[in-house]
Amino acid sequence: MPKVAAPTSIVLTARTKRKTTGANATRQDGLVPGVVYGHGAAPLAIGVTAKTLEDIVITKSQAHIFDATIDGVADSVMIRSIERHPISRRALSVDFQRVGKHESIHRSVTVHTVGISSGEKKQGGVKDIVSHEVTLTGPADVLPDTLEVDITALNVGDHITAAQIKLPDGVHMDTDGATIIVAIEASKTADLVAGDEAAAAAAAPEAAPAADAAPTEG
């Protein structure tokens, strides 16, 4: 299956029919109904092709700024939310936010770990991702879509906090810097084995002292 390229532009079609009837009619036309908000303008009802949204989801590009064309008028937008069917996961509706490319915005960003920690490889530790997202503020064209955290040097008992994540220039971490993102914990299985061994050793009877040799008769 060929790799899907992350979309950088998106075509939105203004729709005149709104509410449930209009949304259903939009879906029958092969489009996903949505609304564009922001920049002091009235909310604009739009439709977008389902494949476009599928490509965005597949390539994890929801946080991108898209060069949008809305009935021939150029704009730039971000996805605020996608409502999906709980079973089929088909996109039911989508909300967009108008965003200037250099505008300062606030959004959540997913954190991914990179590598295998020393604690996992050499000490039998287990990786525990405590926080999967952090919130950032910065220029829309600078904010990353995801953040990567290298964990290769971590040993059992080590962790990385939000304050330790390297950010692009001009981007501020809004999440409390003391928030633990990922930690390397001791294996619970190893702890149980060690506890069982210690309990067995404590319960074992002590070896009886050797009996004194009987005196020989002269």
Side-chain angles (χ1 to χ4, degrees):
M1 182 177 177
K3 185 177 180 180
V4 177
T8 58
S9 61
I10 193 167
V11 176
L12 305 178
T13 303
R15 55 189 176 94
T16 55
K17 295 181 180 179
R18 304 190 63 174
K19 299 185 178 180
T20 302
T21 302
N24 289 336
T26 300
R27 295 187 186 101
Q28 290 174 2
D29 291 337
L31 302 176
V32 177
V35 179
V36 178
Y37 299 92
H39 287 181
L44 175 65
I46 53 86
V48 59
T49 63
K51 185 179 186 308
T52 297
L53 286 184
E54 288 173 8
D55 289 348
I56 289 171
V57 172
I58 290 172
T59 57
K60 297 180 172 59
S61 305
Q62 288 99 317
H64 282 191
I65 300 173
F66 299 97
D67 293 320
T69 302
I70 307 175
D71 280 2
V73 179
D75 210 333
S76 54
V77 299
M78 290 178 60
I79 292 178
R80 280 174 45 166
S81 64
I82 300 176
E83 181 187 0
R84 302 175 70 80
H85 190 280
I87 298 175
S88 69
R89 305 307 295 162
R90 177 172 56 90
L92 297 177
S93 65
V94 57
D95 287 345
F96 291 93
Q97 178 75 38
R98 288 186 177 90
V99 178
K101 291 191 175 182
H102 304 294
E103 180 180 343
S104 181
I105 62 173
H106 173 87
R107 78 174 180 211
S108 297
V109 173
T110 303
V111 179
H112 297 292
T113 60
V114 176
I116 301 175
S117 70
S118 176
E120 292 171 275
K121 289 193 293 187
K122 300 178 181 179
Q123 302 166 328
V126 177
K127 177 178 69 175
D128 180 15
I129 301 178
V130 182
S131 301
H132 291 269
E133 289 186 339
V134 294
T135 50
L136 307 175
T137 296
D141 59 343
V142 175
L143 279 181
D145 297 324
T146 60
L147 290 170
E148 293 187 343
V149 176
D150 187 345
I151 65 171
T152 53
L154 297 185
N155 293 307
V156 169
D158 291 343
H159 62 262
I160 292 176
T161 65
Q164 293 173 289
I165 299 177
K166 183 174 176 56
L167 300 176
D169 290 342
V171 175
H172 176 264
M173 175 69 71
D174 295 321
T175 299
D176 188 330
T179 300
I180 295 177
I181 304 301
V182 59
I184 306 301
E185 307 286 355
S187 168
K188 292 182 179 179
T189 301
D191 286 345
L192 289 173
V193 170
D196 289 344
E197 290 176 348
E206 296 183 4
D212 293 337
T216 57
E217 296 183 358

